[in-house]
Amino acid sequence: MLLSKNTFPLYIRESPTKLFSKNIFSSSFDKYKIVPSFKNEKRSMKNLTCLSSFLSSPNDQHFSLKAFTNAPSIIMDDEKEIISQKANNGIGIVEFFEGKNILVTGGTGFLAKALIEKMLRTTPKINKIFILIRAKDKGAAFNRLKSEIIESKLFKCLEEMHGEYYMPFILNKLIPVVGNIYEPNLGMDIITSQQIAQQIDLIIDSAANTTFDERYDLALDANVNGPYQLMMFAKKCKNLKLLMHYSTAYANGEREGLILERPFSMGESITKEKITSISPFTNFPSLHVDNEIDLVSKLKNNITNNIDLEQIMKNLGVERAKLYGWQDTYTFTKAMGEMMINNMRHEIPILIIRPSIITSSYKEPFPGWMQGFRTIDPLIFFYRKGDLPCLLGDPNGLVDLVPVDMVVNATMAAMAKHGNLQNRQLNIYHVASSSINPVSFSQIFDYSYNFFKLFPFVNKKGDKCEVKKMRFFDKILDVENYIWEVLSKQHEVQNGKELTKIQIRLIKKKVEYLKNFSKLHEPYMFYKGWFDNGNIRKLMEDMSEEEKRSFEIDVTKINWRNYIEKIHILGVQKYVLEGSRIN
């Protein structure tokens, strides 16, 4: 049945669901001064505009959005602390990172790479950043550091700032370390692990397997065993001031309504919450990570055929996730990773950042930077080619987007706040937009339609692909039938004759792929929750005006139409699709 498209409400104000109790955090805060990142104002302006010449493609006029600035992040404090911080120049973000030694996992990934760039650009007095890299030896690790980070387009602004001193500067700051987060001592040799454990002040954990339907055994290893090994190593770090772990806002699973920034404890599950909220005396099995690992281990021992194992493990992950109230293997194992960290933290201060769907940079170091497709992008770019004329989803459903530079800014501000406070707490931050600046799926595809009407995709034959308004269905069969109908007509029009058997076979293959793709994303296309970000709002209150400009995190400032049409689509085309098979 076709879902009718209604006008999307400008705001949503509903009371939180009964499934979630209010979580209150308190802490104390001292006075900190802001230390300028650059020696003079002229240097600072160079930081803001250094890539004006770098963006030189015909469409790059869309990228020249005033100056490239940033804003601050928020945390959980009582009213007295907020008043105190307002009177004392904010959090002290720049000062906090000065002289610090940091261990980063997942450093070659999209988010961690953006965070490393920002730390080097705005806090150049940071000491060392040790980057854990999977490689066979030190030489291979250095080659990955050089090709995937130092020579990345993302670092061009930093390179312009330092000029001929760029390589000495960055090689002095970034230290590649051979390792593997899934192994004891994070896969480092004994001497290296001991040296790093003695030196580091902060740990940034960005390593994860983000495939929605990954094999259960592989997802557990990455998203649960990884945090376990990291916590074991963290306990050896005597000077550790804070461990920051990236999770996802969708680790909240199938919760609905306003979803609060609440930590997970071992034994909890979304299904258990729902059942006990309706019937408090009904028992439901607790979710224990050890039991899940044992289950996988026993199954693997009893299966000898690798082909069977592959499919069994994929199916098992989905089944276990849905049993306990999560959409897929990815969000399920990320939630269990949070449980593992909470269960093991003891006296270690922990900060968990839960971003929603991370998209291209809003401003920094320049608008539109992106690495890889991020959830909504395959939908948009299948749409531009005419391959995806409809979606399985609610047109009025919220799609929660947040630009990568705002996630980075929130991370740095939150780390500075909690690292300064040194409270042995677990603090959760949703970095999300749905509760304060919502945008719907229908709006996203209206903006995409506007863009592709002006700048249509041209195929290898030189034909322009004409897009039509996106249609939405609530049944997969309707999606399958409509895609078949549209693609068949496209081929008939192009060829001027009936379809051949080969063409029919190719269309069937494409329809099957898009059907499975739609089913995989279905839980997010009908998602019924939105994420509270009260801790981010408190963090903004704690920041000085200078910090708000330099570390921008206020997502209410984003005009989604302008961002999608003039920044994001262009950014994905420039930094992801150039030279790719998808283009």
Side-chain angles (χ1 to χ4, degrees), residues 96-97 99-104 115 119 123 126-131 173 175 196 199-204 415:
F96 173 75
F97 284 93
K100 295 294 191 299
N101 291 311
I102 304 174
L103 174 65
V104 179
L115 178 59
M119 288 192 293
T123 60
I126 201 168
N127 195 30
K128 302 291 183 184
I129 302 176
F130 298 93
I131 303 177
K173 300 293 184 183
I175 312 297
I196 291 179
Q199 295 181 54
I200 61 167
D201 305 287
L202 304 167
I203 293 176
I204 294 172
M415 286 183 69

Side-chain angles (χ1 to χ4, degrees), residues 238-409:
K238 303 304 180 185
N239 298 317
L240 187 64
K241 297 170 179 62
L242 183 73
L243 186 151
M244 193 288 300
H245 169 76
Y246 278 123
S247 183
T248 170
Y250 292 95
N252 286 288
E254 295 175 351
R255 287 171 171 164
E256 299 179 358
L258 182 65
I259 301 173
L260 303 181
E261 294 160 307
R262 168 188 159 186
F264 282 106
S265 298
M266 197 67 71
E268 287 186 289
S269 74
I270 309 302
T271 303
K272 192 171 184 177
E273 287 178 5
K274 290 180 177 180
I275 289 174
T276 54
S277 68
I278 298 170
S279 178
F281 301 106
T282 302
N283 290 324
F284 184 82
S286 296
L287 171 59
H288 287 287
V289 174
D290 290 345
N291 294 342
E292 297 303 304
I293 294 172
D294 288 343
L295 172 64
V296 167
S297 179
K298 290 175 182 176
L299 272 175
K300 291 181 76 170
N301 289 335
N302 291 326
I303 301 171
T304 56
N305 188 314
N306 287 333
I307 297 175
D308 291 342
L309 179 64
E310 175 89 18
Q311 195 57 52
I312 288 171
M313 283 296 154
K314 278 200 169 191
N315 294 341
L316 180 64
V318 174
E319 289 170 7
R320 300 300 288 179
K322 293 188 178 300
L323 172 65
Y324 285 105
W326 276 268
Q327 300 95 322
D328 49 46
T329 308
Y330 166 58
T331 55
F332 183 41
T333 53
K334 287 298 287 183
M336 284 193 282
E338 287 193 31
M339 293 177 192
M340 182 67 74
I341 290 172
N342 193 8
N343 194 53
M344 296 179 66
R345 64 187 175 88
H346 303 302
E347 296 299 311
I348 300 174
I350 301 291
L351 170 65
I352 294 180
I353 302 289
R354 292 176 180 165
S356 54
I357 299 169
I358 307 176
T359 54
S360 61
S361 57
Y362 180 55
K363 291 181 180 178
E364 290 189 87
F366 46 87
W369 178 76
M370 191 70 167
Q371 178 176 298
F373 270 178
R374 317 302 301 182
T375 308
I376 65 164
D377 300 323
L379 302 175
I380 292 174
F381 286 90
F382 283 141
Y383 171 66
R384 76 165 184 160
K385 295 174 68 175
D387 289 338
L388 191 66
C390 66
L391 281 175
L392 177 67
D394 179 2
N396 296 320
L398 300 183
V399 50
D400 198 307
L401 309 178
V402 59
V404 63
D405 47 338
M406 288 195 171
V407 179
V408 164
N409 293 335

Side-chain angles (χ1 to χ4, degrees), residues 558-572:
I558 301 174
N559 178 312
W560 290 116
R561 177 171 183 171
N562 185 74
Y563 173 73
I564 295 297
E565 294 183 19
K566 297 184 178 180
I567 298 177
H568 182 68
I569 293 177
L570 283 168
V572 175

Side-chain angles (χ1 to χ4, degrees), residues 223-238:
N223 300 335
V224 181
N225 181 44
Y228 168 79
Q229 299 294 351
L230 191 68
M231 292 300 295
M232 291 295 289
F233 178 76
K235 292 178 180 181
K236 302 176 185 178
C237 303
K238 303 304 180 185

